Amino acid sequence: MKKNLIIGGVILVLILAIGFNIKNSYNSMVSKNEAVEGAWAQVESVYQRRADLIPNLVNTVKGYAEFEKSTFVEVTEARSKATSLTISADELTPENMAKFQAAQSQLSGSLSRLLATFERYPDLKANQNFLELQAQLEGTENRISVERQKFNTIVKDYNTYIKQFPRVLYANWFDFDKKGYFEADAGSENAPEVEF
């Protein structure tokens, strides 16, 4: 009888230890998932700031560059596509992140072409409104870079946590799946050629 009580006590202690481990791990996964969601909200916020600046920038440039219609259309379409593609924090899979990043990269390329047009218009270079919008856009691009970096750091912490033993055994039970990262744009590993 005494032997059965000892075995029962050991089993109870093991069950309680495993239960506490699962509870603590679950709570930590929830906290880390919330951190990912918060970081994602910051990323979306700075991308929205950029999207909000674009119409003002396009309208300012339009006044000086009436015949650059294809560039304006391209920027407007890229902005529309980038703002229509939204991902909830629960859907941050690597595939969804790649789609989101592709849309944002297309918008960045269109913006670069738009800003390149101002070189052909000396009056535009002197326009204070354009210069302020350009400075705001540059600042926003820096914020995007910073927030993407923070997001990737938080996602790495989350992904590492849910993959470590023994959490990897029950992370899927509670639907804690791997989150996607922001990655470098295709071709960014090659330095651009500069010609004078």
Side-chain angles (χ1 to χ4, degrees):
M1 183 75 169
K2 190 173 184 183
K3 185 177 180 184
N4 288 342
L5 280 177
I6 291 173
I7 292 173
V10 169
I11 291 172
L12 180 63
V13 167
L14 284 174
I15 290 172
L16 288 174
I18 291 169
F20 282 125
N21 182 283
I22 291 173
K23 177 191 86 67
N24 290 337
S25 293
Y26 176 82
N27 289 341
S28 293
M29 286 186 270
V30 168
S31 294
K32 290 178 183 300
N33 189 56
E34 287 296 317
V36 169
E37 290 181 12
W40 180 246
Q42 283 299 111
V43 168
E44 287 183 314
S45 175
V46 291
Y47 274 120
Q48 184 61 51
R49 176 179 165 75
R50 177 174 73 172
D52 292 344
L53 287 172
I54 291 170
N56 294 331
L57 188 65
V58 168
N59 288 334
T60 301
V61 175
K62 258 186 192 176
Y64 290 88
E66 280 300 319
F67 61 89
E68 301 281 351
K69 298 234 186 276
S70 64
T71 304
F72 300 135
V73 169
E74 183 182 328
V75 170
T76 303
E77 288 174 355
R79 178 186 180 270
S80 176
K81 183 177 179 183
T83 56
S84 69
L85 183 62
T86 58
I87 303 173
S88 75
D90 296 340
E91 300 170 334
L92 295 175
T93 64
E95 298 80 21
N96 287 342
M97 289 296 295
K99 290 177 191 172
F100 181 84
Q101 191 169 344
Q104 295 300 330
S105 293
Q106 183 180 1
L107 179 56
S108 293
S110 297
L111 273 175
S112 295
R113 285 186 284 286
L114 176 68
L115 292 175
T117 64
F118 97 97
E119 290 295 330
R120 295 188 290 257
Y121 303 99
D123 292 344
L124 182 58
K125 290 181 189 179
N127 181 296
Q128 190 61 35
N129 191 31
F130 175 79
L131 294 174
E132 287 176 18
L133 287 168
Q134 187 179 21
Q136 287 182 30
L137 190 60
E138 288 169 1
T140 300
E141 291 297 330
N142 288 336
R143 288 179 186 163
I144 288 170
S145 178
V146 167
E147 292 303 330
R148 284 174 53 153
Q149 183 178 6
K150 285 181 188 176
F151 175 80
N152 279 350
T153 300
I154 291 170
V155 166
K156 179 183 176 198
D157 180 53
Y158 168 84
N159 286 342
T160 301
Y161 189 81
I162 67 168
K163 289 180 182 178
Q164 292 175 333
F165 185 81
R167 292 178 291 274
V168 69
L169 299 174
Y170 44 84
N172 286 335
W173 296 348
F174 301 116
D175 292 327
F176 289 101
D177 299 319
K178 179 182 178 197
K179 306 287 186 188
Y181 293 99
F182 278 104
E183 297 178 5
D185 292 333
S188 64
E189 68 278 0
N190 301 322
E193 290 185 27
V194 179
E195 295 180 19
F196 295 100

